[in-house]
Each structure stands twice: as structure tokens, then as C-alpha cells.
Amino acid sequence: MSAHILVADDEKELADMLELYLTNDGHTVHKAYTAAEALDCAASTDLDLAVLDVMFPDGSGFQICKKIREKHCYPIIMLTAKSAASDKILGLTIGADDYITKPFNPLEVAARVKTQLRRYRQYNHSAGAPAEAAHEYDIRGLLINRDNHKCVLFGKELQLTPIEFSILWYLCERQGMVVSSEELFEAVWGEKFLQNNNTVMAHIGRLREKLAEPARNPRFIKTIWGVGYTIEK
């Protein structure tokens, strides 16, 4: 199924190359070469996914990502020439779903796009499931429903991305058990976990923000140092 994809990169040749590969997969690509163009496209176009470079002459991909996340939950993939872990963590913390370090193989980008779109469509498809068939957990005021993909905290609905929802659901399913970063990554992302991968930690941090978790004594997602994460019964 085709998708509308924003490709924002100030390197015209790179954006054109990604457009070629993504259109070959049947997608419609909207290109932007500046941060301003990317923000305009995100505001005026019904997008299914965004691929954002980090560095622009007039802004940053982080700013674009943050702005998109104010209204939209579709997947965001960051492209970065920086390999520092802090840059990757920042992107994931402000709402990106994945990152790819330059230089890269465009086939890898196309494959990551396909993976993210599949997860996003499963998320939206589940949202139309009948309420009577719902499977849900109610944990001390945190209500999460798998069939309508809603998460409500003390009566207020939280806006979770598909990956954030998947992480929280996986932990709720294993309430009382400790889940390692490796298990969580391979279950949610469907890829082999590599050492020094901070992706899970960054997404857990963002989830805790949305859950308004106190830093020293979180009510829901607890860290078991050296082991993993758990939601206690």
C-alpha cells in the first residue's frame, strides 16, 4: 500500500535518491530542502511518515520532529551524520522512532520505512476494532487497551506513538516480570539487539515523561539496574 512520505534534507542529491527508491516502492514523496519547507509540508499535507535530516541551514530536524509530535503520531526516521550517542538519544527522546547514520545504503532506508509503515498501519487498523472485543490492563489508574490502542492515565488520554504503545503494552503483558532491554528491543523493533544500543532507554524516558513519572520513585515503569525494566503488580 502506498504512503505519503516527507523527505527533508538540504542535500538535494540525497533527497532525490531517496525519492527514487521510495517511489519505486509505490510511495508518494514530498521533498523539502529547508526546515521551513519541511514544517510547511508537515502542516499542510496528510503524511504517513517523515524522513528528517538533522542539520538544516535554517533550523534542525530535532525542531521539526518536535513540532510534528505536537499533533501527529506517524513514524519519524532521523538521518544524521553525527554518530554520537547523545544525538541519537536526543532524537529518540523528542519523538523519533528510528535513526540512520550517514552514509547509508538507500535500500536500508527503504526497508526501515517499510517496517515503520507496517507497524503504524497495524496500530491504526487495531484502532477500529470493536470495544467489546477489547483486551486491556488497568494498573493503578493506568488503562491501556490493545484493540482500540488507547492509553488513559487517571482519566486523561495519552498520545502515544505506535512504538511507545508497543513498549508499554509489552511491559504490561509481563507485569511483575523484569524485561531486559535486549528482549524489549527485539520484541518491539523486530531486529537483533546490538550492544550500546540506547534506543530502548530513550523511548522509556519519553514514556515516563508522558506518564508524568517522578524520577526517583516511578509509579509504573521501574528500572532494575543491570537487568531491565518492570511494571510491578
Side-chain angles (χ1 to χ4, degrees):
M1 187 181 297
S2 64
H4 284 264
I5 298 173
L6 167 62
V7 173
D9 198 302
D10 62 343
E11 296 181 50
K12 186 177 185 300
E13 295 79 6
L14 189 148
D16 290 345
M17 178 182 64
L18 290 179
E19 179 186 29
L20 176 63
Y21 278 81
L22 293 173
T23 52
N24 282 343
D25 283 344
H27 304 307
T28 300
V29 174
H30 307 266
K31 290 184 294 185
Y33 304 122
T34 67
E37 289 176 356
L39 288 170
D40 286 344
C41 180
S44 62
T45 310
D46 188 12
L47 297 170
D48 299 292
L49 183 142
V51 179
L52 308 176
D53 189 23
V54 168
M55 302 298 293
F56 290 91
D58 60 334
S60 78
F62 298 137
Q63 294 170 329
I64 301 169
C65 177
K66 212 170 179 181
K67 194 69 178 176
I68 289 174
R69 280 290 172 257
E70 291 177 3
K71 294 184 178 180
H72 305 287
C73 289
Y74 54 74
I76 297 174
I77 299 174
M78 304 295 297
L79 303 178
T80 174
K82 299 179 178 180
S83 58
S86 58
D87 293 306
K88 296 174 183 177
I89 292 173
L90 175 60
L92 294 169
T93 300
I94 63 175
D97 298 280
D98 201 358
Y99 60 84
I100 300 175
T101 304
K102 297 179 181 179
F104 52 75
N105 185 328
L107 288 173
E108 178 187 2
V109 179
R112 299 281 190 96
V113 165
K114 189 177 296 185
T115 297
Q116 292 295 337
L117 285 173
R118 182 171 63 248
R119 181 181 288 118
Y120 182 57
R121 283 165 176 158
Q122 287 172 347
Y123 176 97
N124 284 338
H125 176 73
S126 296
E132 60 268 24
H135 298 150
E136 63 183 27
Y137 291 96
D138 189 347
I139 302 172
R140 299 183 297 279
L142 173 66
L143 180 68
I144 182 169
N145 186 301
R146 182 179 65 185
D147 291 334
N148 61 25
H149 271 258
K150 286 188 177 180
C151 182
V152 178
L153 178 64
F154 304 131
K156 180 181 179 181
E157 185 174 348
L158 305 181
Q159 297 301 313
L160 302 184
T161 67
I163 281 187
E164 291 166 353
F165 186 95
S166 296
I167 290 172
L168 187 57
W169 180 262
Y170 194 85
L171 290 173
C172 287
E173 276 189 313
R174 288 152 184 79
Q175 187 181 355
M177 301 169 58
V178 180
V179 178
S180 68
S181 293
E182 178 178 0
E183 178 186 345
L184 197 51
F185 182 85
E186 294 183 358
V188 173
W189 277 266
E191 300 175 11
K192 185 68 178 174
F193 181 84
L194 300 176
Q195 293 298 322
N196 301 318
N197 188 330
N198 296 303
T199 302
V200 171
M201 181 178 69
H203 279 85
I204 291 288
R206 184 164 174 81
L207 258 176
R208 283 173 169 160
E209 284 185 16
K210 292 187 176 183
L211 292 168
E213 293 269 56
R216 292 185 177 275
N217 187 28
R219 290 166 293 187
F220 302 107
I221 304 174
K222 297 183 181 292
T223 300
I224 309 300
W225 294 108
V227 184
Y229 303 97
T230 186
I231 292 180
E232 296 177 343
K233 288 186 176 180

